[in-house]
């Protein structure tokens, strides 16, 4: 369920675990995640070097809330690579695996989909990237089986610049 809309995940968790979450669960969850990020979040090994090596504009396209995106980037020291190119499903109203979130980002930045690359670490993002008509790279850090046609799977960020080329 990595990358899915939180509101879609919660009913599944309730059903699978035969529980009823409290009405304030989402707010409490977000507060805990913010505190954990502040205390423990670290950038993926090699991501800063990969971003530095890649030419062109970059964006974050996430199913998470905009404030969470900004917080994570600030903590990891990666904000400078993206500027204002931050696209949240909560702002756009489109959640992965709908390709519309990537298409919106490309259009907002002035690019045609076929001239864009998607780098995602979850199956729903990979699916959205492929369906958007973009070259799609799966950051497969857990070495999961990936049979999606047209997707380039890689295990370490240091591989990315060579895969994409400049």
């Amino acid at each position: 369920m990595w990358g899915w809309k939180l509101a879609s995940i919660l009913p599944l968790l309730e059903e699978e675990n035969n529980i009823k979450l409290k009405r304030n669960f989402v707010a409490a969850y977000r507060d805990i995640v913010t505190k954990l990020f502040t205390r423990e979040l670290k950038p993926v090994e090699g991501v800063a070097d990969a971003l530095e090596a890649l030419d062109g504009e970059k964006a974050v396209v996430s199913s998470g809330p905009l404030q969470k995106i900004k917080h994570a980037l600030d903590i990891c020291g990666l904000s400078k690579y993206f500027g204002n190119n931050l696209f949240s499903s909560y702002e756009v109203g489109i959640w992965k695996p709908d390709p519309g979130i990537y298409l919106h980002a490309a259009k907002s930045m002035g690019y045609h989909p076929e001239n864009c690359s998607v780098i995602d670490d979850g199956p729903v993002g990979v699916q959205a990237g492929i369906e958007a008509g973009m070259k799609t790279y799966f950051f497969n850090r857990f070495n999961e089986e990936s049979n999606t046609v047209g997707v380039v799977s890689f295990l370490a960020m240091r591989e990315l610049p060579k895969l994409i080329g400049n």
Side-chain angles (χ1 to χ4, degrees):
M1 289 188 273
W2 187 258
W4 286 92
K5 182 178 180 182
L6 185 59
S8 299
I9 295 170
L10 297 180
L12 295 173
L13 291 175
E14 287 179 321
E15 184 179 325
E16 287 177 9
N17 296 287
N18 197 28
I19 59 170
K20 181 68 180 152
L21 298 171
K22 295 179 182 177
R23 281 188 295 139
N24 70 336
F25 176 82
V26 172
Y29 166 78
R30 296 246 185 252
D31 184 55
I32 290 168
V33 169
T34 297
K35 289 174 181 169
L36 282 170
F37 273 24
T38 301
R39 194 172 60 242
E40 298 182 24
L41 188 65
K42 303 283 186 258
V44 169
E45 183 180 335
V47 71
D49 291 337
L51 290 168
E52 198 68 44
L54 292 170
D55 292 333
E57 286 189 274
K58 298 160 190 71
V60 174
V61 180
S62 173
S63 293
L66 187 58
Q67 192 55 39
K68 180 181 176 185
I69 298 167
K70 289 179 178 180
H71 187 228
L73 290 172
D74 287 345
I75 289 168
C76 292
L78 301 175
S79 297
K80 66 182 178 182
Y81 297 106
F82 304 101
N84 291 322
N85 296 330
L86 306 177
F87 300 92
S88 164
S89 291
Y90 287 85
E91 303 289 316
V92 179
I94 305 169
W95 276 262
K96 299 172 189 176
D98 187 325
I101 185 73
Y102 285 126
L103 296 171
H104 171 79
K107 184 177 181 182
S108 296
M109 294 174 66
Y111 292 98
H112 294 285
E114 63 273 12
N115 296 325
C116 297
S117 295
V118 168
I119 298 106
D120 208 295
D121 64 350
V124 295
V126 168
Q127 179 183 343
I130 289 293
E131 290 181 12
M134 300 175 178
K135 183 69 177 170
T136 303
Y137 300 84
F138 176 32
F139 177 42
N140 190 0
R141 59 185 162 173
F142 303 115
N143 203 19
E144 301 171 60
E145 188 171 327
S146 175
N147 298 322
T148 308
V149 175
V151 172
V152 176
S153 184
F154 67 104
L155 296 171
M157 279 294 166
R158 70 178 177 279
E159 300 173 55
L160 190 59
K162 191 180 290 185
L163 292 172
I164 291 179
N166 283 318

